[in-house]
Amino acid sequence: MQETIKTKNSYHEQVIENNQVTVMGEIVSDFTFSHEIFSEGFYMVDIEVARLSESKDIIPVMVSERLLDVTGDYKGMMVVINGQFRSYNRHEEHKNKLVLSVFARELEFIDELNENVKTNQIFLDGYVCKEPVYRKTPLGREIADLLLAVNRPYGKSDYIPCICWGRNARYASNFAVGERCLVWGRIQSREYMKKLSEDELEKRIAYEVSVSKLEIPDEEAEESD
């Protein structure tokens, strides 16, 4: 039996493991050019991912031209993407806007989705970088907003907005800035209206992690292992 050797203690491996995403769904757009780094072009494409309810999320995915021929027409095809949820600041309207997308590390076309498979999963291991915002809806549902900084190689970080519900919201409301936090959930898209002027509104889409589970790891226990 061949043994697979994996070095988990290297910084690079830890960084890759602290931000893991799998999304499965239908390609619903063409590939559009985003940017180029060291002669490698990166393109954006939208994936429609079904929820357990009747609704769906439209998730933007960044793909390297080295993964597939980005000039092809793939609309309507089903795909599985493994990668990371990443952010960058884009300057617009005299301020910076946080732009989020899934960075594809692996891409595979499939014939159909298994009914029992989870089509949208994310795990983040990061640090609380803003005081949590706790509130209640008019119907009394508890919500807490978290912003996690997730480290990347070469001193970079991704800033990922997360939304917690119910007892998770109550738990998260007590987190301190700088605390390490583990999050499990799914990526969701949410439409909202942006007020541009007194009489002008524009429909926009926000992306965030809907949290199903979260915890503050016991650092002392980890150091003793």
Side-chain angles (χ1 to χ4, degrees), residues 27 29-34 41-45 61-74 107 109:
I27 295 176
S29 76
D30 293 318
F31 284 81
T32 58
F33 179 76
S34 171
F42 292 90
Y43 291 74
M44 298 301 302
V45 68
V61 178
M62 184 176 293
V63 180
S64 166
E65 62 186 356
R66 298 179 185 177
L67 276 182
L68 81 169
D69 177 11
V70 294
T71 64
D73 182 3
Y74 302 97
L107 184 150
F109 291 101

Side-chain angles (χ1 to χ4, degrees), residues 16 28 38 69 72-73 92-94 96 101 131 142 174 190 192 195 199-200:
I16 296 303
V28 291
F38 301 122
D69 177 11
D73 182 3
E92 62 176 47
E93 298 173 3
H94 310 293
N96 287 328
S101 63
E131 189 171 324
E142 296 172 285
N174 297 311
R190 173 174 52 84
Y192 69 99
K195 187 175 182 179
D199 54 359
E200 189 178 5

Side-chain angles (χ1 to χ4, degrees), residues 107-120:
L107 184 150
E108 179 185 356
F109 291 101
I110 56 175
D111 294 328
E112 60 182 2
L113 290 176
N114 187 315
E115 288 185 5
N116 300 318
V117 73
K118 289 186 177 180
T119 58
N120 187 340

Side-chain angles (χ1 to χ4, degrees), residues 194-211:
K194 170 76 172 179
K195 187 175 182 179
L196 302 179
S197 64
E198 286 299 321
D199 54 359
E200 189 178 5
L201 293 173
E202 183 179 82
K203 183 188 288 185
R204 295 195 176 179
I205 301 177
Y207 303 98
E208 60 206 359
V209 173
S210 179
V211 176

Side-chain angles (χ1 to χ4, degrees), residues 107-188:
L107 184 150
E108 179 185 356
F109 291 101
I110 56 175
D111 294 328
E112 60 182 2
L113 290 176
N114 187 315
E115 288 185 5
N116 300 318
V117 73
K118 289 186 177 180
T119 58
N120 187 340
Q121 300 180 79
I122 184 169
F123 167 73
L124 300 172
D125 178 350
Y127 297 86
V128 179
C129 59
K130 190 177 179 182
E131 189 171 324
V133 178
Y134 174 84
R135 63 194 188 280
K136 286 187 178 181
T137 68
L139 295 176
R141 193 176 188 191
E142 296 172 285
I143 303 174
D145 295 314
L146 279 179
L147 186 64
L148 281 192
V150 182
N151 293 333
R152 238 200 275 172
Y154 312 113
K156 294 184 178 181
S157 296
D158 293 296
Y159 295 90
I160 311 298
C162 304
I163 186 164
C164 311
W165 312 89
R167 55 192 174 85
N168 281 337
R170 226 170 309 139
Y171 177 46
S173 68
N174 297 311
F175 290 177
V177 173
E179 270 193 298
R180 184 180 168 204
C181 179
L182 309 182
V183 161
W184 294 261
R186 62 177 175 81
I187 299 171
Q188 70 178 18

